[in-house]
Amino acid sequence: MTVDFCSLASGSSGNCHLINDGKKFLLIDAGLSGKQIENKLKEVDVDPKNLSAILVSHEHSDHICGVGILSRRYNIPIYANDGTWAGMERKIGNIKKENIKCFTSNENFSIGDFNIKPYRISHDANEPVGFSIEKDSIKISIATDLGYISEDIMEEIGGSNLVILESNHDEEMLKAGSYPYSLKRRILSNSGHLSNEAAGNAIVDLVSRNVRSILLAHLSKENNFPELAIATVKNILDSKKIIIGKDIELDLVHRDRVSNIYQF
């Protein structure tokens, strides 16, 4: 049986990804309205009633907007660490006691046949994590909302069949743009977001760690655009003699539409 990945949305206006093996359907974050997520799930022929769990990476609104309503409407368990629960509890409304699931950062847990590792990341939230999700020999890792990629993160996501990697902004566009200085400083900090150039350099390292497929994600609407993100990464890979389509498969996911379905 295969493992499928699909991004329903990725960006500052909302993040939501779906991983399933035909038996368990996991949402990674639910940062759109409940209705938007329901409609996007229908686009990929998934009944929201079949959702098995919502995994929450951190409490920012673009990751939790639909968490509460979906849990109440479809009786879905919500998995988050203590810090994230503390940050989002008042924002998502009343949740059934049995649907409040706490995991410990950097410790594995299981949902069905999926083995899940929530690994710590650098971001300006209470206790943010990325996720590596494995079944049998298949491993999918989500690495977004990163100020920087540490060696520990590289070790966690190395060997993945697929990495969803943040490529948030072009530094020059950000610096010249209309954002206030405080927001620019936050985005560029080690607890902010990963630039196109940083993503490209990370991919060079990931190729050496047996990662063969990358989806660029969480692109800024104001300080990036898809063609620029791809071109920047491609230029870095070209400089290292890494060939897209041979050494690495490269694609991206969008802020406003459902991605392709990637099957492993």
Side-chain angles (χ1 to χ4, degrees):
M1 187 173 290
T2 62
V3 175
D4 291 353
F5 172 86
C6 178
S7 176
L8 305 185
S10 182
S12 57
S13 56
N15 296 273
C16 187
H17 308 300
L18 175 69
I19 294 175
N20 82 88
D21 64 354
K23 295 186 294 184
K24 294 295 183 182
F25 292 78
L26 311 181
L27 275 190
I28 316 301
D29 292 324
L32 305 168
S33 72
K35 187 63 176 177
Q36 286 175 305
I37 292 173
E38 289 170 344
N39 289 339
K40 288 174 180 290
L41 287 170
K42 289 174 184 175
E43 288 185 43
V44 293
D45 296 322
V46 173
D47 190 331
K49 295 177 182 177
N50 291 331
L51 292 173
S52 309
I54 304 171
L55 312 181
V56 182
S57 63
H58 64 289
E59 71 275 12
H60 289 169
S61 60
D62 58 325
H63 293 260
I64 66 167
C65 181
V67 167
I69 186 64
L70 289 175
S71 178
R72 287 187 290 275
R73 186 171 291 167
Y74 300 106
N75 195 33
I76 304 168
I78 303 167
Y79 289 75
N81 56 34
D82 287 339
T84 297
W85 272 114
M88 75 176 177
E89 204 162 8
R90 293 181 181 180
K91 301 176 183 177
I92 65 174
N94 293 328
I95 302 299
K96 287 183 179 180
K97 185 177 180 180
E98 60 266 29
N99 284 334
I100 298 174
K101 307 289 187 182
C102 290
F103 60 71
T104 300
S105 299
N106 289 334
E107 291 188 10
N108 291 26
F109 65 97
S110 296
I111 299 175
D113 293 332
F114 286 113
N115 183 54
I116 300 158
K117 175 71 175 287
Y119 58 87
R120 293 182 182 273
I121 62 173
S122 174
H123 193 53
D124 56 354
N126 283 0
E127 194 182 343
V129 295
F131 292 104
S132 287
I133 300 172
E134 296 185 63
K135 180 186 175 183
D136 301 327
S137 60
I138 303 302
K139 179 179 178 181
I140 296 173
S141 295
I142 297 173
T144 64
D145 296 79
L146 304 167
Y148 70 102
I149 299 189
S150 66
E151 176 60 24
D152 286 344
I153 292 174
M154 281 294 187
E155 289 183 6
E156 292 291 350
I157 67 180
S160 297
N161 298 79
L162 174 67
V163 173
I164 296 85
L165 180 66
E166 181 169 50
S167 189
N168 177 257
H169 59 275
D170 175 80
E171 287 196 17
E172 296 308 313
M173 283 185 69
L174 175 62
K175 291 174 181 176
S178 60
Y179 280 4
Y181 174 73
S182 59
L183 180 55
K184 292 179 182 180
R185 185 172 63 180
R186 172 194 170 247
I187 292 169
L188 291 166
S189 75
N190 280 350
S191 58
H193 290 281
L194 213 62
S195 70
N196 294 338
E197 185 175 0
N201 289 328
I203 293 170
V204 172
D205 195 345
L206 289 171
V207 169
S208 71
R209 297 174 191 252
N210 297 315
V211 172
R212 290 294 176 262
S213 190
I214 299 279
L215 296 178
L216 302 181
H218 212 303
L219 275 67
S220 170
K221 181 180 180 181
E222 291 80 10
N223 302 304
N224 207 357
F225 53 93
E227 295 83 1
L228 177 58
I230 290 286
T232 302
V233 170
K234 185 178 184 300
N235 286 341
I236 291 171
L237 298 182
D238 285 348
S239 73
K240 301 296 183 180
K241 311 300 183 186
I242 295 171
I243 301 172
I244 296 173
K246 178 183 177 183
D247 302 312
I248 190 76
E249 298 294 334
L250 182 67
D251 202 350
L252 52 79
V253 296
H254 297 271
R255 60 188 297 110
D256 55 357
R257 62 181 186 268
V258 174
S259 75
N260 296 326
I261 296 174
Y262 298 87
Q263 205 167 67
F264 299 92

